[in-house]
Amino acid sequence: MNSLKESRNQVLGQIEAACQQAGRKAETVQLLAVSKTHPSEALREMYATGQREFGENYLQEALEKMETLADLEIEWHFIGHVQRNKTKHLAEKFAWVHGVDRLIIAERLSSQRLATQPPLNICLQVNIDGQDSKDGCQPEEVAELVQKLSQLPHLRLRGIMVIPAPNNVAALLDAQKLFEAVKVLHAHPEDWDTLSMGMSGDLEDAIAAGSTMVRIGTALFGARDYSK
């Protein structure tokens, strides 16, 4: 418990310092704890430190954790690649889905979100610097997607998510410019409030470039154990 609490406090301190440097208030940046491959016990301990938002990449692993941690009021974010055959579980079980990059995926999420649930928060994943190894729509596709996705029922299109190559500060700035430029095309511009970018290695640069949500795993939980 103490080590996780110390880790979280250290990350929150980094966020606050980066915000001060950028002339921003610390509360304008949300901390998303990336918990993939870490056991449910670690999430429970992190929850006890005050963390409520957790991000998972693998659906089956996330569903198992949801069942184990059902007594906690966790806000679950899916930050992995969204496959068409997985949208039903994503639509019903998560509060946020960050990896939407095609209209068909958004349409499926909208139609499969239960009418009794609040709208599903989604972010458009953009391949901001053209990496062959990364998913996401192309920057030039974003404007049209924002217009179409923002009109779908049962969804709240909140912004964009990017994973630039390491040390690519220019891509972070490009993402911020794109984020601001397409807001006017949103059917509900008041919902357009989330620029999800920045991880353990580029947190400060991402905040300087305008990130409103940083996705932190290693700095919170330590190195991932992929053998489990």
Side-chain angles (χ1 to χ4, degrees):
M1 164 70 88
N2 287 339
S3 61
L4 288 182
K5 187 170 186 177
E6 290 169 7
S7 296
R8 184 170 182 269
N9 285 341
Q10 186 173 8
V11 170
L12 290 173
Q14 285 181 276
I15 291 173
E16 186 170 1
C19 284
Q20 286 182 345
Q21 185 71 23
R24 300 176 59 188
K25 294 182 178 179
E27 56 265 29
T28 63
V29 179
Q30 185 176 15
L31 172 60
L32 179 62
V34 178
S35 46
K36 65 179 181 182
T37 78
H38 295 291
S40 296
E41 294 75 24
L43 277 69
R44 188 176 290 279
E45 289 183 27
M46 186 63 74
Y47 184 93
T49 72
Q51 183 66 32
R52 296 293 178 267
E53 298 80 22
F54 290 83
E56 291 284 330
N57 285 58
Y58 310 116
L59 179 58
Q60 192 55 46
E61 177 189 341
L63 294 176
E64 291 170 2
K65 289 177 181 176
M66 287 177 182
E67 188 173 346
T68 303
L69 303 171
D71 58 310
L72 304 182
E73 294 185 6
I74 290 176
E75 180 180 270
W76 294 101
H77 293 236
F78 188 78
I79 56 177
H81 179 60
V82 181
Q83 297 172 296
R84 288 180 61 170
N85 63 338
K86 303 289 178 63
T87 54
K88 189 174 190 298
H89 285 302
L90 297 180
E92 293 180 358
K93 301 292 187 180
F94 287 82
W96 286 72
V97 176
H98 289 239
V100 178
D101 58 4
R102 289 169 289 160
L103 177 60
I104 184 63
I105 294 295
E107 289 174 334
R108 289 175 67 87
L109 290 170
S110 178
S111 66
Q112 292 168 336
R113 185 71 167 179
L114 300 178
T116 54
Q117 294 178 287
L120 177 65
N121 300 291
I122 64 169
C123 288
L124 267 175
Q125 182 172 354
V126 183
N127 191 346
I128 195 66
D129 50 356
Q131 295 180 75
D132 292 337
S133 61
K134 289 289 187 293
D135 297 306
C137 63
Q138 298 304 306
E140 58 270 21
E141 298 173 315
V142 171
E144 182 179 359
L145 284 170
V146 168
Q147 288 180 307
K148 292 180 177 178
L149 270 60
S150 64
Q151 298 181 56
L152 292 173
H154 312 304
L155 299 182
R156 283 184 71 193
L157 178 58
R158 300 293 294 268
I160 64 176
M161 184 266 269
V162 298
I163 311 174
N167 303 314
N168 192 345
V169 177
L172 296 170
L173 296 170
D174 287 343
Q176 197 276 337
K177 291 175 185 175
L178 180 63
F179 174 76
E180 294 294 340
V182 297
K183 179 176 182 177
V184 296
L185 304 173
H186 199 298
H188 308 283
E190 67 278 4
D191 288 344
W192 190 256
D193 59 6
T194 302
L195 180 53
S196 172
M197 67 180 184
M199 297 184 284
S200 296
D202 61 354
L203 179 153
E204 289 86 0
D205 287 335
I207 289 175
S211 171
T212 68
M213 183 183 292
V214 290
R215 308 180 305 273
I216 308 298
T218 303
L220 288 175
F221 294 101
R224 301 186 185 104
D225 184 356
Y226 287 102
S227 66
K228 295 182 179 179

